[in-house]
Structure formats: C-alpha cells, structure tokens
Amino acid sequence: MTFLAYRVAETEQGMAASWQEQTVDQLPEGEVLIAVEYSSINYKDALSASGNKGVTREYPHTPGIDVAGTVLESASDDFAAGDAVVVFGYDLGMNTAGGYGQQVRVPANWVLRRPTALPAAQAMSWGTAGFTAALSVQKLERNGIKPENGPVVVTGATGGVGSVAVALLAKLGYDVLAVSGKPEQQDFLKQLGATGFLSRDDILATKGKAMAKPLYQAAVDTVGGDLVSGLIPQIKPEGALTTCGMIAGIKVEASVFPFILRGVSLLGVDSVEIPLVDKQQVLDKVADQWQLAQLEQMTTEISRSQLADVLAKVLSGQGVGRYRLNLNAE
Ligand code: NDP
C-alpha cells in the first residue's frame, strides 16, 4: 500500500518539493505506525522545507513536526490499532520523516494519547505552536503571574505561538497587549481577546536601557532578540517573561538590574524535548479546561496542494493565526 508524502529534495537549482508516493518500508524504524489525518504548519516546518540545515541535516526529507491521527499497527503493548494519538516534537519532522506524509512510523515513547474531547483537526489547530503557547502561559502561572496584577505582553502576536497565547491569556482573564508588525490585523487580535496594541518600536525604545518604567506584569515572547532586550527593563517587580523563539534574533542584551533589583524572571520554554508525561499533561489540559472557543476561527485549514504557498508565507513572517493541513484533502 502506498501513501502520499511531501518530499523536499536538494537539486542543482535549489530546493524542490512535491507530493510523491511512498511505501511503509521507506519510513524509519519505530514501534508505532500512524495514519496521519492532520498536521500543522509551524515556523520550524517552514525552515525544514526551505533546506535549513540547522533543522534538517539530510534531504530528501518529509517535514511536519506535528501529527494527529490513528494507530494502524503497533509493536508496543502501550498502543493498539485504532487508538487516537498525537505526536509532536522530539525528532519528528526534523531528521525523522514527519507529518507531511499520510503515514509516519515513530518510537512508542514519542506517542501521546489523544483525549476524546480533542478531535484530530482540533489537536492540529493547537499543534506545536499552540502547545508552546500553553506551556508558556503555564510557566508564567507557576511563577506567580495572576490576572489581577497587570497586563501581559505577547510578541509576534499574529503568529502561531503568539495568536494562541493571546487567546489563552484572554480566556484566563488577563489584560493582553499584543505586539505585532501587522497593524492591519488589529481586528483579528481584538477578536482573540487582545485589549491593547503596541508596535515593535514601542518595545524597542527601551532596548539597551538597564531599567525603564515598569509597565507590564509579564510577557510571552515568541520572537527573541531585540524585543526581549526591550521588554526586560519594563517588567514589573516579581514579574516574568517567557522566551521560546528566535525569528527576530538569537542575542539578548540586558542589564542584571531588572533581575536583581526587581526580581524579574526570564523563563525558557521548550516543547520539543520535554518528557512525554509533560506533553500529555498539556494535551489533556487544552482538551479540557483550556479549550479555546476562538480556535476554529483563528485556524485556516489547507489541503495538500496549498502547502507550499503557506510554508512560504510562514517563512517570511506573513502568516496569521494557525494553519492545519488536512492530509486527505487534495
Ligand atoms: P510564526 O511564523 O507563525 O509567527 C512568528 C511571528 O513573529 C510572525 O507572524 C510575526 O508576527 C513575528 N515576526 C516575524 N518576523 C519578525 C521579526 N523580524 N521581528 C519581530 N517579530 C517578527 O512562527 P511560530 O509562531 O510557529 O513560531 C514562533 C517562534 O517560536 C519561532 O522562532 C519558532 O521556532 C519558535 N518555537 C519554539 C518552540 C519551542 O519549543 N521553544 C516551539 C514552537 C515555536 P507579527 O507580525 O504579529 O509581529
């Protein structure tokens, strides 16, 4: 039996990608064979599909760091054919054939049970970006951040991680200030629950300062670089900011003063290599008390033929909200 996979290859003219027929023997070894119903589009997928060797060392390759589907075969006692599952992170879609194929084969210790309340499509509206937003909010709350203590800033607010962070924080009762390079998307951000808007320049104005007026209780940063440098001096005493991305840069310039004089915390967020049990906990939470009413409205479902265009859009920072891929739609 063959299935279709989006194969990205290096050619003399540059990277080339197309949907090709594959067989199970071409998949890597692993205990669990999964029929992929939906995947999603994240910035890392766009990097992998564009030939970025920091993400994917060897081509031809099938990207896709997210999978939601049903088990076809299992050599592990933990799973049986028919089980509803999700896989995200670890090496999936990086150097292991990923979710832009109608089947994947992975180690059993990468596989999460998909709660009944989380259909495959909905799970992929969240996807790695959404789970990372959830992990970021969870980290802030574990660090004492509370809705009544002041506004929370979200950078890259229209992006995958950012848009879910805006919606989730708003649902939890926070006053959310969205930082976006897309002023034309203010209505979209308002619908997600943002209560105010800041330009990137508003934040960059305090970059390089040791301390500035403490305006924000916390921040979910999704872009890295200078925006983190600009945010740190503006966080209120005992506040915190999370950092998960590097789309705007990998270097942060900061004085130690906000940390030692205001007790500010800088919290790293990793969704890729964290223990499976922590991934399962987040999956269960988004299927239950953290369900988002706006999730469908902020997600664009795409078919196989639309994938290349959406990957290009996300690579250039022009994506808005979440994109999920229906593997069975041509
Ligand atoms: P998206 O491309 O969906 O969103 C990124 C957003 O960042 C853009 O939509 C844009 O939003 C903003 N942006 C783009 N370029 C710049 C720039 N030069 N300066 C400032 N802002 C910019 O990406 P994702 O949401 O999928 O991922 C965001 C980041 O998080 C990536 O770096 C990704 O690798 C990382 N990530 C990390 C994870 C982890 O486990 N640590 C997991 C998932 C993602 P706007 O126009 O609204 O400003």
Side-chain angles (χ1 to χ4, degrees), residues 136-148:
S136 303
V137 173
Q138 181 170 274
K139 247 192 184 169
L140 289 180
E141 293 207 324
R142 287 180 178 166
N143 225 63
I145 302 307
K146 293 192 173 65
E148 60 271 24

Side-chain angles (χ1 to χ4, degrees), residues 41-47 55 65 88-89 127-133 135-136 154-164 178-185 188-189 198 200 204 221-224 226-227 243-249 268-274 311 313-323:
I41 290 81
N42 301 275
Y43 184 64
K44 197 191 258 181
D45 296 315
L47 291 177
V55 176
I65 62 172
F88 71 95
T128 290
F131 302 137
T132 303
L135 286 164
S136 303
V154 177
T155 62
T158 67
V161 182
S163 59
V164 178
V179 179
S180 176
K182 305 186 189 86
E184 72 282 5
Q185 293 297 336
F188 168 74
L189 290 165
L198 297 164
R200 292 178 189 165
L204 293 175
D221 173 70
T222 74
V223 302
D226 289 349
L227 285 176
T243 180
C244 71
M246 44 85 226
I247 204 163
V269 176
D270 169 37
S271 67
V272 181
E273 293 294 338
I274 55 171
L311 284 166
K313 202 171 178 175
V314 169
L315 188 64
S316 67
Q318 291 311 305
V320 175
R322 292 285 296 134
Y323 298 90

Side-chain angles (χ1 to χ4, degrees), residues 31-321:
E31 290 106 24
V32 187
L33 180 69
I34 298 168
V36 183
E37 289 154 40
Y38 288 90
S39 182
S40 91
I41 290 81
N42 301 275
Y43 184 64
K44 197 191 258 181
D45 296 315
L47 291 177
S48 172
S50 68
N52 185 300
K53 291 283 170 86
V55 176
T56 300
R57 287 187 303 275
E58 284 184 24
Y59 296 86
H61 170 64
T62 305
I65 62 172
D66 281 320
V67 157
T70 306
V71 172
L72 287 172
E73 288 170 18
S74 173
S76 156
D77 291 342
D78 293 336
F79 296 96
D83 284 352
V85 292
V86 164
V87 184
F88 71 95
Y90 303 127
D91 193 46
L92 186 73
M94 294 181 67
N95 292 291
T96 298
Y100 298 167
Q102 291 170 319
Q103 294 185 15
V104 294
R105 192 161 55 185
V106 294
N109 62 6
W110 290 9
V111 184
L112 299 159
R113 295 196 171 279
R114 179 156 49 82
T116 321
L118 195 66
Q122 203 178 313
M124 291 295 98
S125 292
W126 283 92
T128 290
F131 302 137
T132 303
L135 286 164
S136 303
V137 173
Q138 181 170 274
K139 247 192 184 169
L140 289 180
E141 293 207 324
R142 287 180 178 166
N143 225 63
I145 302 307
K146 293 192 173 65
E148 60 271 24
N149 289 348
V152 178
V153 173
V154 177
T155 62
T158 67
V161 182
S163 59
V164 178
V166 169
L168 183 55
L169 286 162
K171 174 195 167 79
L172 297 174
Y174 289 89
D175 184 8
V176 186
L177 304 180
V179 179
S180 176
K182 305 186 189 86
E184 72 282 5
Q185 293 297 336
Q186 287 197 359
D187 282 347
F188 168 74
L189 290 165
K190 220 178 259 175
Q191 281 162 21
L192 299 188
T195 47
F197 303 94
L198 297 164
S199 70
R200 292 178 189 165
D201 287 343
D202 290 333
I203 303 295
L204 293 175
T206 46
K207 180 198 150 207
K209 292 196 175 165
M211 301 273 263
K213 198 169 173 194
L215 297 175
Y216 316 120
Q217 178 191 187
V220 172
D221 173 70
T222 74
V223 302
D226 289 349
L227 285 176
V228 180
S229 307
L231 279 166
I232 290 171
Q234 299 192 70
I235 300 294
K236 290 184 174 192
E238 297 307 318
L241 60 168
T242 60
T243 180
C244 71
M246 44 85 226
I247 204 163
I250 57 167
K251 286 202 176 139
V252 172
E253 185 191 334
S255 157
V256 293
F257 283 163
F259 304 108
I260 63 177
L261 299 179
R262 289 182 177 159
V264 168
S265 300
L266 182 58
L267 309 166
V269 176
D270 169 37
S271 67
V272 181
E273 293 294 338
I274 55 171
L276 195 69
V277 59
D278 293 339
K279 292 186 178 181
Q280 187 71 56
Q281 190 240 336
V282 164
L283 196 66
D284 293 347
K285 205 161 175 177
V286 304
D288 186 20
Q289 71 262 44
W290 278 9
Q291 271 194 22
L292 286 180
Q294 309 99 317
L295 197 61
E296 265 315 294
Q297 168 210 336
M298 61 196 279
T299 303
T300 307
E301 179 167 322
I302 62 164
S303 63
R304 295 193 303 267
S305 61
Q306 293 172 294
L307 179 61
D309 285 348
V310 170
L311 284 166
K313 202 171 178 175
V314 169
L315 188 64
S316 67
Q318 291 311 305
V320 175

